[in-house]
Amino acid sequence: SEKLLQLARAESSGGFSPTGHNQKLGPTLNLVIEDLKRAGLGKGGAGDGVDDGADIRFDADNLATLSANIDLDAFAICMRNLIENALKYGGDDCPVEIKVIEGHIVQVSNGGTPVSPEDLGQLTTRFKRSSTKAGGSGLGLAIVEAIAANTKSELKLYSPRPGHEDGFMAEIWLHQS
């Protein structure tokens, strides 16, 4: 039911920053990651750069530069859905990697079995999941896609992840004001 409420909110609201201008998103991303770790969904240290078998690897080098014209709640919903999906559907022995690029692009990637091209093209459709045994509603990427569309952002999906023969990467290009 939480995902259905998120989808309804994403489809009905604009999602832009209340000021109409870019706002700093680094603290919000860090909060989402810490919240997921507290919930037991990710065990890695944010930005520590240490490979300790962590579930989440977060490159915090560019965190201070992350900004866009998006509401903080909408951004948090996007990031939580992308990271939860990566934790849920990725390979058990592969960490989720989160990177900020050029101050407005966030990449969330994981290892694991690649998604077929047929499934990849439909993952943002409501209730669509790739052929996997992991549970879920199939709404996470539909929610992210709705928020991206409402904020003039762009969601790009890759499988296998670039530079690898396995895995999946979601990349969101956030709108700049």
Side-chain angles (χ1 to χ4, degrees):
S1 64
E2 177 186 354
K3 296 295 182 192
L4 285 171
L5 289 172
Q6 286 180 355
L7 182 61
R9 180 176 175 206
E11 290 180 339
S12 68
S13 67
F16 285 108
S17 165
T19 65
H21 300 287
N22 289 356
Q23 55 185 346
K24 293 182 183 262
L25 301 173
T28 302
L29 178 55
N30 203 34
L31 181 66
V32 169
I33 293 168
E34 292 302 317
D35 185 49
L36 288 169
K37 289 191 296 184
R38 276 192 298 278
L41 297 177
K43 300 178 185 99
D48 61 7
V50 177
D51 182 5
D52 59 1
D55 288 332
I56 296 176
R57 282 195 201 149
F58 176 43
D59 179 0
D61 289 345
N62 295 325
L63 188 61
T65 67
L66 182 60
S67 68
N69 185 352
I70 187 170
D71 177 75
L72 295 178
D73 289 336
F75 176 70
I77 289 169
C78 284
M79 292 297 93
R80 184 172 184 92
N81 276 294
L82 292 177
I83 298 166
E84 281 179 344
N85 277 359
L87 288 166
K88 185 184 296 184
Y89 299 113
D92 292 335
D93 57 345
C94 300
V96 171
E97 295 180 358
I98 304 165
K99 294 181 183 175
V100 174
I101 300 170
E102 298 178 18
H104 69 283
I105 302 168
V106 181
Q107 296 176 335
V108 179
S109 63
N110 60 307
T113 306
V115 176
S116 74
E118 299 80 29
D119 284 345
L120 187 65
Q122 296 193 18
L123 286 181
T124 58
T125 304
R126 293 177 185 193
F127 308 111
K128 177 66 178 166
R129 298 182 312 122
S130 66
S131 53
T132 179
K133 291 182 172 58
S137 62
L139 290 174
L141 291 176
I143 292 166
V144 175
E145 177 67 23
I147 292 171
N150 284 345
T151 61
K152 298 182 183 177
S153 299
E154 184 178 3
L155 176 64
K156 298 180 180 185
L157 305 176
Y158 306 90
S159 191
R161 56 196 163 144
H164 295 83
E165 294 181 10
D166 70 340
F168 180 87
M169 182 172 81
E171 183 176 73
I172 188 160
W173 291 56
L174 299 164
H175 177 71
Q176 300 294 288
S177 60

